[in-house]
């Protein structure tokens, strides 16, 4: 399967990172979001990252221009008719994702793969919204995408072997490391990571220690690069809550119940770094 043209849906922190690494690997990229200003914000982040690469001598100014030239801005899903693969990185909500996939199924060429960067939602259910479940797959990048090596590849029940192989090959061409997993809530990454973050929030909620102390324990005691509350802010508290809800509902086990403090913060609009306030405040 020859993949040259890629569409990324959602120009948030994940979508813009995925667009950057695809453009750097020479793919032609359409970066799509609901409004032009969201796409422009994503291009702004990519430009900043590339400028840092130039300043550090890892890339020339001409290479930066050429990478940016590989990215087209899109606010129209119809642009999917021109691509070989769509990677969806919109918000972590099943209704929104299934609507996007049903539309893409009508628009994208027959050969096109429809991938989702979902961090926890069942790929099989997303695939069932299309008439091409064999071409639907999970391609789960880690944040920040330009830095993190892993891509968790999730097979839905119907995903074809050649589609899995194409995504594995594409992952390697992006200079990332693919790891194959099966379709269960939270896959491997968030089934293990998110209960730890949720427990850190309970630790705060129950007054065991301060935000700073909890992070310090995990950073200095366990050598984690970021404390769990810093990491939760970095991921987005809305995304953390959606993932916990998927685990709770998907396994029907109360050990995954989201901490009420997490719910409260999300209801307050304290979504972490991206909204300027979470467990910490950001200027
Ligand atoms: C929720 C999900 O579904 C799945 C997930 O993604 S879970 C989240 C997974 N990610 C993590 O756990 C990240 C944990 N944190 C880390 O690994 C590190 O703190 C970090 C890599 C983010 C930053 O590393 P650091 O050493 O503390 O900071 P810093 O020295 O500023 O950055 C290291 C490099 O990363 C780059 N970097 C940092 N943040 C970046 C960003 N947001 N975008 C692009 N590049 C970034 C820096 O430019 C720097 O590059 P060079 O050394 O090549 O110049
Ligand atoms: N944050 C993380 O660490 C990780 C997140 N993920 C997954 O990646 C996905 C995106 O997360 P993230 O980038 O953090 O979220 P963000 O909130 O940063 O970005 C999501 C973007 O998608 C846009 N969007 C929402 N609905 C649509 C739509 N129908 N069509 C096009 N664009 C849309 C949003 O616009 P608007 O602002 O208007 O809502 C926003 O710009 C989620 O599924 C998440 O679970 C995966 C790995 C890590």
């Amino acid at each position: 399967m020859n993949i040259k043209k890629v569409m990324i849906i959602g120009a948030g922190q994940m979508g813009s990172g995925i667009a950057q690494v695809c453009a750097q690997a020479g793919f032609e990229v359409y970066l799509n979001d609901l409004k032009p200003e969201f796409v422009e914000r994503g291009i702004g982040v990519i430009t900043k990252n590339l400028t840092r690469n130039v300043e550090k001598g890892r890339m020339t100014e001409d290479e930066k221009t050429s990478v940016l030239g590989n990215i087209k801005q899109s606010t129209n899903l119809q642009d999917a008719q021109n691509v070989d693969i769509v990677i969806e990185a919109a918000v972590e909500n099943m209704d929104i994702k299934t609507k996007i996939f049903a539309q893409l199924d009508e628009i994208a060429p027959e050969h096109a793969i429809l991938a989702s960067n979902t961090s926890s939602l069942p790929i099989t259910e997303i695939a069932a919204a299309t008439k091409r479940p064999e071409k639907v797959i999970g391609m789960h990048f880690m944040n920040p995408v330009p830095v993190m090596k892993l891509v968790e590849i999730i097979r839905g029940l119907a995903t074809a072997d050649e589609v899995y192989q194409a995504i594995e090959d594409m992952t390697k061409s992006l200079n990332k490391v693919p790891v194959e997993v099966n379709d269960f809530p939270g896959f491997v990454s968030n089934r293990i990571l998110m209960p730890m973050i949720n427990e850190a929030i309970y630790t705060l909620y129950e007054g065991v220690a301060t935000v700073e102390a909890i992070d310090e324990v995990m950073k200095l005691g366990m050598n984690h690069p970021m404390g769990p509350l810093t990491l939760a802010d970095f991921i987005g508290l809305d995304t953390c809550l959606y993932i916990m809800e998927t685990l709770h509902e998907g396994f029907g086990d109360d050990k995954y119940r989201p901490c009420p403090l997490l719910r409260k913060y999300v209801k307050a609009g304290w979504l972490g770094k991206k909204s300027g306030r979470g467990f910490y405040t950001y200027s």
Side-chain angles (χ1 to χ4, degrees), residues 49 52 56 58 119 140-144 146-148 190 193-194 225-226 231 234-235 243:
N49 286 342
R52 199 171 50 226
K56 293 212 162 182
R58 284 192 294 248
S119 38
H140 184 205
F141 291 81
M142 302 293 128
N143 190 10
V147 180
M148 306 301 279
N190 282 316
L193 174 71
M194 211 43 76
M226 284 174 168
L231 184 57
F234 180 62
I235 291 167
I243 295 169

Side-chain angles (χ1 to χ4, degrees), residues 13-14 17 20 45 48-49 52-53 56 58 92 117-120 140-148 150 152 186-187 189-190 193-194 197 224-227 230-231 234-236 239-240 243 273:
Q13 47 180 349
M14 294 307 290
Q20 180 185 327
V45 173
K48 213 171 106 198
N49 286 342
R52 199 171 50 226
N53 283 341
K56 293 212 162 182
R58 284 192 294 248
E92 188 74 351
N117 180 55
T118 176
S119 38
S120 61
H140 184 205
F141 291 81
M142 302 293 128
N143 190 10
V145 179
V147 180
M148 306 301 279
L150 174 70
E152 205 177 24
F187 318 127
S189 52
N190 282 316
L193 174 71
M194 211 43 76
I197 288 178
H224 288 195
M226 284 174 168
T230 303
L231 184 57
F234 180 62
I235 291 167
T239 302
C240 292
I243 295 169
K273 204 171 172 198

